[in-house]
Amino acid sequence: MSKLSSLIVLINSLSKSERKKVSTTFNVNENNADYIHLYTIISKSQDSTPEKIKELFLKTHQETTFNTSINHLFENILFALTQLRTNQDSYYSLFTILMHARVLHEKAIYHECFQLLSKVQSEAIRLENFSILLIAQKMELDYLLSLDFPDITEQELLSKQYRTNDTLKKIREINQHAFLYELLKYRILYRGTARSDKQKQEFNDLVISEMSIESNSGYNNFEITKNHLLFQSNYLMNMGDYKSAINSFYELNNAFEHNKHLLNNPPIFYLMTIEGILEGLRSIKDYKEMNYFISQLENIETSSNHFKLQIECVIFLYTLFPLLDTGKFEEAKTLIEYDKHNIYGKSNLLIIYRKAQLFLYTALTYLGTKEYSKARKSLNQILIAERSLLSLPQCRTIRLANLMVLYELKEFDYITFEGRSVRREIQNKEKTYQTELLMLKLFDKPLDVLSNKERDVLWKKIEPELKKIRNNKFELQLLRIFDFTAWIESKIRNIPLEQILRDKISNPK
């Protein structure tokens, strides 16, 4: 992304309070400054491309000032936002106090300097912010050393050194838990969920390491508890043990509820926790319980517009899922059309995984309402525009949905081409869902040409295979994204998809 593109995203993401702060930061004597004119152009042209912004700027300014204006504007906005965050976020405010202490030390105002460092340490301990605590402790020791340890006994010095070492140990243990959770999430994201017992073994090294760290833990604080429960709940979800995963997420949610003062801003891990609960509840079809946790998401407060959009998207998706899962496609379509100019209009600001989710489920909704061209257009928002997604396992599910849409559009030449590509990708059967293989077989021949008798024969052959798939804990990892087996059944039996889904909810056996 170019510096201008980044600047455009930054300005378009500003909240009202942030815009006000940025405006007051601009020097009143620089009303005619080039960078202020650039800010005005971008603010008034929210949908314009970088090329269009440059063209508008050059109408009244020289080209030689363009890059300088971009850099100057970028720096001014960041400075204004940092100032604003100092009064909103403890992380920023503690660093600001540290900088004040540094200035006081440089000016030889030592008493007030050490008072500020003591204040930072107390607040960092209360907030369990051990990174800032370590910086403050090390600054204090460095400053005492530079002054030849005034008014301090050897025992007091040793005590300060011990506390600094203790902080280092806590940080190390927190990082060990965090590293394992990060590795787990990376493997799930780039290798996909476990599809076989052999693939399940690939996660065991992380589990053994996590158990070892947990059993040897010498500390009990919120960060360690958070990382442990995040690892445990995500691992269980990945293994298809949804009820146990939900219980771990519940425990983590209770830890957050009792430690609200320790939430980050934005509260990324809190959002992960609530979304994990919602995904677990969806997996066991407990849609009523989901409403409470959706309301919890609605109550999250954050100064970040970008993070607010991520929350809005999660709320939207988990309001949509019960409608899709139960075959209420028209209601799902109404929800999408109602929200068309909100989340969809800002979809370029969503993280890639979230954006992929949004357009995948939009396409599946239109598939259910038989608006296949709209479904194809939604999938193309990802398959064509987001090339970085192609290496992720998630893309295979999107391509599977795309094959369904192509099948409904009777574009069999495209199906043949795309089917070959997907087959090449899933040659390793240990990393392939049986659902995928079954669907690819069906795509080889149009079912519309079959007589009722031929459909009955095919159904008797396929039904046992579908039952086996629906009772396989690994296959359920794919079916919790969307029940592709219901679509297979609807095509073979020539029964509307919404009816199949409704029947499955009322008679899950």
Side-chain angles (χ1 to χ4, degrees), residues 10 12 49 74 82 134 220 227 267 279 307 407 453 464:
L10 179 61
N12 288 341
T49 62
F74 204 93
T82 302
L134 180 63
N220 183 22
N227 287 325
E279 184 60 28
F307 191 72
Y407 184 90
K453 185 176 180 180

Side-chain angles (χ1 to χ4, degrees), residues 64-75:
T64 53
T65 66
F66 185 59
N67 289 333
T68 303
S69 298
I70 292 173
N71 292 328
H72 198 52
L73 178 56
F74 204 93
E75 290 172 5

Side-chain angles (χ1 to χ4, degrees), residues 238-256:
N238 184 52
M239 294 300 116
D241 190 351
Y242 304 125
K243 289 185 177 180
S244 296
I246 291 171
N247 288 334
S248 289
F249 275 124
Y250 278 155
E251 189 177 346
L252 180 56
N253 184 55
N254 288 335
F256 276 116

Side-chain angles (χ1 to χ4, degrees), residues 376 379-380 382-384 387 390 392-407 411-427 436 439-441 443-444:
R376 187 176 185 182
L379 290 174
N380 284 342
I382 301 299
L383 292 171
I384 295 175
R387 309 303 296 177
L390 298 180
L392 301 181
Q394 183 190 14
C395 187
R396 232 165 64 194
T397 306
I398 295 171
R399 294 178 73 182
L400 204 62
N402 189 46
L403 282 170
M404 291 161 56
V405 173
L406 292 173
Y407 184 90
E411 296 188 12
F412 298 112
D413 289 339
Y414 283 109
I415 288 177
T416 301
F417 175 79
E418 181 69 4
R420 285 174 185 165
S421 176
V422 174
R423 282 188 176 90
R424 284 195 298 270
E425 193 176 324
I426 63 175
Q427 284 178 350
E436 294 173 321
M439 291 185 73
L440 288 170
K441 286 180 184 177
F443 289 136
D444 287 337

Side-chain angles (χ1 to χ4, degrees), residues 77-133:
I77 293 175
L78 287 181
F79 177 76
L81 295 181
T82 302
Q83 280 192 320
L84 186 63
R85 294 292 188 277
T86 300
N87 299 321
Q88 297 175 336
D89 191 308
S90 62
Y91 196 85
Y92 286 84
S93 62
L94 288 178
F95 268 116
T96 300
I97 298 173
L98 284 175
M99 294 304 99
H100 290 168
R102 190 180 182 93
V103 171
L104 290 172
H105 179 263
E106 291 172 1
K107 299 299 182 182
I109 308 175
Y110 303 122
H111 179 70
E112 286 77 6
C113 168
F114 286 114
Q115 279 188 331
L116 289 182
L117 289 176
S118 178
K119 178 182 178 181
V120 170
Q121 290 178 49
S122 297
E123 191 65 8
I125 290 171
R126 186 181 74 84
L127 297 173
E128 295 190 12
N129 191 329
F130 299 109
S131 298
I132 291 180
L133 175 61

Side-chain angles (χ1 to χ4, degrees), residues 269-454:
F269 293 104
Y270 185 56
L271 174 61
M272 288 181 182
T273 300
I274 301 300
E275 186 177 2
I277 292 173
L278 288 169
E279 184 60 28
L281 291 172
R282 183 194 178 201
S283 299
I284 62 173
K285 312 298 182 188
D286 190 350
Y287 300 118
K288 288 183 179 179
E289 185 71 11
M290 287 170 62
N291 294 326
Y292 170 76
F293 292 99
I294 289 174
S295 67
Q296 277 196 294
L297 289 179
E298 293 171 340
N299 293 328
I300 292 179
E301 295 182 2
T302 175
S303 57
S304 169
N305 275 3
H306 180 266
F307 191 72
K308 283 178 185 175
L309 181 62
Q310 310 305 318
I311 295 173
E312 288 171 8
C313 189
V314 174
I315 292 172
F316 174 79
L317 287 170
Y318 282 92
T319 305
L320 182 70
F321 290 157
L323 302 176
L324 272 180
D325 295 349
T326 55
K328 298 175 182 178
F329 295 117
E330 288 298 334
E331 290 184 44
K333 177 188 170 183
T334 300
L335 181 66
I336 288 172
E337 296 296 334
Y338 178 78
D339 205 86
K340 205 67 176 177
H341 299 292
N342 184 22
I343 296 171
Y344 290 90
K346 304 172 188 173
S347 62
N348 61 309
L349 297 176
L350 293 170
I351 58 175
I352 183 63
Y353 173 77
R354 193 75 65 211
K355 184 177 180 181
Q357 270 190 312
L358 180 66
F359 285 105
L360 170 62
Y361 287 107
T362 302
L364 291 172
T365 298
Y366 286 130
L367 180 74
T369 59
K370 298 181 172 56
E371 296 173 85
Y372 306 123
S373 295
K374 287 185 177 180
R376 187 176 185 182
K377 184 178 179 181
S378 292
L379 290 174
N380 284 342
Q381 294 278 347
I382 301 299
L383 292 171
I384 295 175
E386 301 296 343
R387 309 303 296 177
S388 60
L389 186 71
L390 298 180
S391 61
L392 301 181
Q394 183 190 14
C395 187
R396 232 165 64 194
T397 306
I398 295 171
R399 294 178 73 182
L400 204 62
N402 189 46
L403 282 170
M404 291 161 56
V405 173
L406 292 173
Y407 184 90
E408 298 289 5
L409 288 169
K410 298 182 172 26
E411 296 188 12
F412 298 112
D413 289 339
Y414 283 109
I415 288 177
T416 301
F417 175 79
E418 181 69 4
R420 285 174 185 165
S421 176
V422 174
R423 282 188 176 90
R424 284 195 298 270
E425 193 176 324
I426 63 175
Q427 284 178 350
N428 187 344
K429 292 187 177 181
E430 290 178 355
K431 295 185 178 181
T432 303
Y433 290 116
Q434 293 303 309
T435 307
E436 294 173 321
L437 297 174
L438 180 59
M439 291 185 73
L440 288 170
K441 286 180 184 177
L442 293 178
F443 289 136
D444 287 337
K445 183 179 179 181
L447 296 175
D448 294 346
V449 300
L450 298 181
S451 65
N452 289 336
K453 185 176 180 180
E454 288 173 320

Side-chain angles (χ1 to χ4, degrees), residues 112-165:
E112 286 77 6
C113 168
F114 286 114
Q115 279 188 331
L116 289 182
L117 289 176
S118 178
K119 178 182 178 181
V120 170
Q121 290 178 49
S122 297
E123 191 65 8
I125 290 171
R126 186 181 74 84
L127 297 173
E128 295 190 12
N129 191 329
F130 299 109
S131 298
I132 291 180
L133 175 61
L134 180 63
I135 294 172
Q137 288 172 330
K138 191 67 176 67
M139 282 177 66
E140 182 182 29
L141 288 171
D142 287 345
Y143 291 167
L144 286 170
L145 175 63
S146 70
L147 298 172
D148 294 332
F149 307 105
D151 303 321
I152 184 172
T153 66
E154 182 175 336
Q155 189 58 43
E156 288 172 336
L157 176 60
L158 288 170
S159 178
K160 290 180 184 295
Q161 290 173 334
Y162 173 81
R163 289 197 293 270
T164 303
N165 276 331

